[in-house]
Amino acid sequence: MDAMSEHTYKQFDIELETLRTRVLQMGGLVEQQVKKAMEGLYEGDTGLLELVVKEDARVNQQEVELDEACNQMIAKRQPTAIDLRMVTTVIKSIADLEKIGDKAHKIARLGLALNNQHTGFTPEVELRHMAELSLSMLHTALDAFARLNVVAAAEVVHQDEHVNTEYDSVVRQLITYMMEDPRTISRSLDIMSIAKAIERVGDHAKNIAEYVIYMVKGLNVRHSTLDEIDREIANGD
Amino acid sequence: MDAMSEHTYKQFDIELETLRTRVLQMGGLVEQQVKKAMEGLYEGDTGLLELVVKEDARVNQQEVELDEACNQMIAKRQPTAIDLRMVTTVIKSIADLEKIGDKAHKIARLGLALNNQHTGFTPEVELRHMAELSLSMLHTALDAFARLNVVAAAEVVHQDEHVNTEYDSVVRQLITYMMEDPRTISRSLDIMSIAKAIERVGDHAKNIAEYVIYMVKGLNVRHSTLDEIDREIANGD
């Protein structure tokens, strides 16, 4: 390798590292948005919920900037193999992070509406466990992205089943409330929308985890069964 | 341009055209999946609904193949400017098409469950208008992609508001049913899930339309207002 291309190569590595760091910063922001939305919801904290709504613009802005940075990097550096997979993984992951941001925004808006309608009402009992599971998936997915850890990524794919089970159980509980007292229907549907948003945070975290597996192993597991994923990850490294 | 690079250039154009054609084929398949799911739902046609569930594997397979084709194309041809935007647009669009396929699959599964539970029940009245709006958005978005038509793409972004309004009206109607007769709660929630899936078909069509605007104009409108989009499209061409 001559001095010039070695220089270009190092420059590319630095840019790639910067890109990865920015994705993790965006991920951290989005994680905080979901946490604050849930906290604001539990506490009926209007100020905190309004902050989440306001901060969504920052999430959106980061997506636009990172998307542009990815395109410029492909055009300028023309990466191949794992480097290219890294950039396309970033392109897809930021789209999912932005959508997780949308969910935080949605939860905050529903929380504000609940605050207005039902004073003193906190849907913490129904939602806390599910929200913790989804947030843990998101955290692990970002960690898997940071450390290129396919085992952690596979764990996230597994956890999604738990969140789905938890969501079904919340829905069943709410149906019972509604049947017992039809006056709770409107409120229960709002809580159901929040539960759905939390469930979708888990879905997007799972997407990111699948991209990490693709990035590291060059293997698309989007439509594989859990057993197939476990076998693939046990193979090789 | 020498003979060699002209040859490479033409080869790239042919590959890009093939890629675009394959995306449109996948789009056509997905559109049919949604149409069949709705038709099966209206008619209580178990055979048709089961077909939709089965065909989802084909949609998933096409996404995996197209995703791989995009990565190979970036690695081999190292496209820049509009050619690169075309490939990244395809990467994103197929992810949305695959998710529309998931929605068709979901509607079909819910239709099968409704068939088992409520004989002779067809939720056509509530859903037909909304489904037609979403399907029209999808059709126009694919058309905009095929003809690189930003005006058609902007139309899709506008239509999304109508679908959202229609969804809200379906939800209000279902809440009325549930309050009047709590025995309809479980059934109404299934219809609400179907309505939500239809609404999300519209969301994904809107995403594709936004990518088309980005591809043609090099302009990210994901977080712009409708007025801003209209102004941008009126500018220039």
Side-chain angles (χ1 to χ4, degrees):
Chain A
M1 194 183 279
D2 60 35
M4 186 62 192
S5 62
E6 193 177 344
H7 174 77
T8 308
Y9 188 71
K10 274 186 186 153
Q11 188 58 35
F12 175 79
D13 275 358
I14 292 166
E15 284 183 25
L16 199 56
E17 205 40 49
T18 307
L19 190 62
R20 283 164 47 79
T21 305
R22 286 174 66 190
V23 172
L24 290 170
Q25 281 166 346
M26 182 182 174
L29 170 62
V30 161
E31 201 181 338
Q32 281 307 311
Q33 284 282 91
V34 177
K35 273 190 187 155
K36 282 179 189 160
M38 294 313 299
E39 213 47 55
L41 186 72
Y42 301 148
E43 307 295 333
D45 183 338
T46 302
L48 193 55
L49 294 172
E50 280 170 353
L51 186 67
V52 172
V53 170
K54 192 167 150 264
E55 288 281 279
D56 191 42
R58 248 179 79 204
V59 176
N60 294 345
Q61 185 56 34
Q62 293 195 4
E63 189 211 4
V64 172
E65 286 170 10
L66 276 165
D67 199 63
E68 192 49 41
C70 287
N71 283 330
Q72 281 180 9
M73 212 162 152
I74 294 176
K76 255 175 55 188
R77 303 288 176 198
Q78 306 177 332
T80 56
I82 182 149
D83 293 338
L84 175 59
R85 290 207 301 273
M86 176 73 81
V87 181
T88 56
T89 296
V90 170
I91 290 177
K92 291 178 185 181
S93 298
I94 56 175
D96 281 277
L97 287 175
E98 189 269 329
K99 275 164 198 146
I100 296 175
D102 280 349
K103 299 302 152 199
H105 181 243
K106 186 180 179 180
I107 293 167
R109 274 189 298 110
L110 285 162
L112 288 168
L114 281 170
N115 269 357
N116 285 334
Q117 289 156 36
H118 324 276
T119 35
F121 167 68
T122 55
E124 182 167 351
V125 183
E126 294 95 337
L127 300 174
R128 183 177 276 279
H129 183 51
M130 197 186 160
E132 276 169 5
L133 280 175
S134 275
L135 276 164
S136 147
M137 282 176 73
L138 174 56
H139 194 84
T140 310
L142 291 169
D143 216 47
F145 177 91
R147 295 182 290 118
L148 304 182
N149 184 336
V150 286
V151 176
E155 196 186 299
V156 174
V157 177
H158 277 275
Q159 282 178 315
D160 193 45
E161 306 250 302
H162 299 292
V163 174
N164 293 343
T165 308
E166 194 64 23
Y167 172 72
D168 290 342
S169 133
V170 169
V171 168
R172 267 198 308 276
Q173 182 63 58
L174 290 168
I175 291 177
T176 310
Y177 291 156
M178 289 191 274
M179 292 211 174
E180 279 169 4
D181 181 0
R183 286 170 303 174
T184 66
I185 287 179
S186 180
R187 189 201 98 166
S188 295
L189 289 176
D190 282 343
I191 303 178
M192 213 178 277
S193 294
I194 295 171
K196 186 71 196 170
I198 297 169
E199 188 260 334
R200 292 193 48 76
V201 169
D203 283 345
H204 290 297
K206 181 186 169 209
N207 287 346
I208 294 170
E210 285 169 342
Y211 305 146
V212 170
I213 296 174
Y214 172 71
M215 173 168 70
V216 177
K217 309 274 284 188
L219 178 82
N220 190 321
V221 294
R222 295 282 315 281
H223 310 294
S224 307
T225 64
L226 288 176
D227 280 352
E228 285 165 357
I229 294 173
D230 287 344
R231 261 199 308 279
E232 281 296 342
I233 284 169
N235 280 344
D237 41 359
Chain B
M1 195 183 278
D2 61 33
M4 187 62 193
S5 64
E6 195 177 341
H7 174 76
T8 309
Y9 188 71
K10 274 186 185 152
Q11 189 58 35
F12 175 78
D13 274 359
I14 292 166
E15 282 182 26
L16 197 56
E17 204 40 49
T18 307
L19 191 63
R20 284 165 47 80
T21 306
R22 286 173 67 190
V23 172
L24 291 169
Q25 282 166 347
M26 182 182 175
L29 170 62
V30 161
E31 201 182 338
Q32 281 308 309
Q33 285 283 91
V34 178
K35 273 189 185 154
K36 282 179 188 159
M38 294 313 299
E39 212 47 54
L41 186 73
Y42 301 149
E43 306 294 335
D45 184 338
T46 302
L48 193 56
L49 294 172
E50 281 170 350
L51 187 67
V52 172
V53 171
K54 194 169 147 261
E55 289 280 281
D56 191 43
R58 251 181 77 206
V59 176
N60 293 344
Q61 186 55 34
Q62 293 194 6
E63 189 210 4
V64 172
E65 287 170 12
L66 276 165
D67 199 64
E68 191 48 42
C70 287
N71 282 329
Q72 282 180 10
M73 213 162 148
I74 294 176
K76 255 175 54 189
R77 304 287 175 196
Q78 305 177 333
T80 55
I82 182 149
D83 293 337
L84 174 59
R85 289 208 301 272
M86 175 73 80
V87 181
T88 55
T89 297
V90 170
I91 290 177
K92 291 179 184 179
S93 298
I94 57 175
D96 282 277
L97 287 175
E98 190 267 332
K99 275 163 198 147
I100 296 175
D102 280 350
K103 298 303 154 199
H105 182 244
K106 186 179 180 181
I107 293 167
R109 276 190 296 109
L110 285 163
L112 288 167
L114 281 170
N115 269 357
N116 284 335
Q117 289 157 34
H118 323 275
T119 36
F121 166 68
T122 55
E124 182 167 350
V125 182
E126 293 95 338
L127 301 174
R128 182 177 277 279
H129 183 52
M130 197 187 161
E132 277 170 3
L133 280 175
S134 274
L135 276 165
S136 147
M137 282 176 73
L138 174 56
H139 194 85
T140 311
L142 290 169
D143 216 46
F145 178 90
R147 297 182 289 118
L148 304 182
N149 185 335
V150 287
V151 176
E155 198 185 297
V156 174
V157 178
H158 278 274
Q159 282 178 315
D160 193 45
E161 306 251 302
H162 299 291
V163 175
N164 293 343
T165 308
E166 194 64 23
Y167 172 72
D168 290 342
S169 135
V170 169
V171 168
R172 267 197 307 276
Q173 182 64 56
L174 290 168
I175 291 177
T176 311
Y177 291 157
M178 289 191 275
M179 292 213 174
E180 279 170 4
D181 181 359
R183 286 169 305 172
T184 66
I185 286 177
S186 180
R187 190 202 96 165
S188 295
L189 288 177
D190 283 343
I191 303 178
M192 211 178 278
S193 293
I194 295 171
K196 187 71 196 171
I198 297 169
E199 188 260 334
R200 293 194 45 76
V201 168
D203 282 346
H204 290 296
K206 181 185 169 209
N207 286 346
I208 294 170
E210 286 169 342
Y211 305 147
V212 170
I213 296 174
Y214 171 70
M215 173 169 69
V216 177
K217 308 275 282 188
L219 178 81
N220 192 322
V221 294
R222 295 284 312 283
H223 310 294
S224 306
T225 65
L226 288 175
D227 280 351
E228 285 165 357
I229 293 173
D230 288 344
R231 258 200 308 279
E232 280 297 341
I233 283 169
N235 279 346
D237 38 3

